[in-house]
Amino acid sequence: MVDPVEDFIRYQGPCLTSAVSDHLVQNLGLTPAAARKRVSRASGEVRRLAYITFPRKARYVYLEKQFGSPEYWSNLVDALQDTNSAYGYAIAAIRLRGCLKKN
């Protein structure tokens, strides 16, 4: 049986738990509460970024094999900037100065 949470992250890339929950509500017909619970119970290859929380207790989730990839960093910076986090602007500034590889 395919885990819909893991499947979504595999095809959409690392993202916030809120995006996964929204997908489950829209495409699987789950209630918002059931979708959030399913995301919170996700296991297998699904990992959560430790120590950084986003608005409304959202977390950044990714698959184990995606950790550290260019897509991982790009999506993380986008998520941080979309939520107006100072971390996102700091990482983006460091990358622009050439201190971190973008690809």
Side-chain angles (χ1 to χ4, degrees), residues 1 9 18-19 30-31 35 39 41 45 49 52-53 55 59 62 71 73 78-80 84-85 87-88 90 96:
M1 185 170 152
I9 298 169
S18 55
L30 297 176
T31 65
V39 172
R41 291 181 176 167
E45 288 188 47
L49 181 62
I52 297 178
T53 56
R59 300 295 299 266
Y62 57 93
E71 182 181 35
W73 287 109
D78 290 345
L80 289 165
N84 293 319
S85 171
Y87 291 120
L96 283 174

Side-chain angles (χ1 to χ4, degrees), residues 3-62:
D3 179 19
V5 174
E6 192 173 321
D7 197 41
F8 178 79
I9 298 169
R10 179 174 290 110
Y11 292 107
Q12 295 298 317
C15 60
L16 295 180
T17 52
S18 55
V20 181
S21 293
D22 290 345
H23 168 76
L24 295 176
V25 168
Q26 293 173 3
N27 295 308
L28 296 182
L30 297 176
T31 65
R36 286 191 304 272
K37 185 61 82 173
R38 185 164 302 182
V39 172
S40 72
R41 291 181 176 167
S43 59
E45 288 188 47
V46 178
R47 301 288 182 258
R48 290 160 189 79
L49 181 62
Y51 308 112
I52 297 178
T53 56
F54 291 83
R56 294 186 278 201
K57 299 181 183 178
R59 300 295 299 266
Y60 186 73
V61 291
Y62 57 93

Side-chain angles (χ1 to χ4, degrees), residues 10 45 62-69:
R10 179 174 290 110
E45 288 188 47
Y62 57 93
L63 299 181
E64 191 171 340
K65 65 182 178 181
Q66 294 170 330
F67 181 75
S69 69

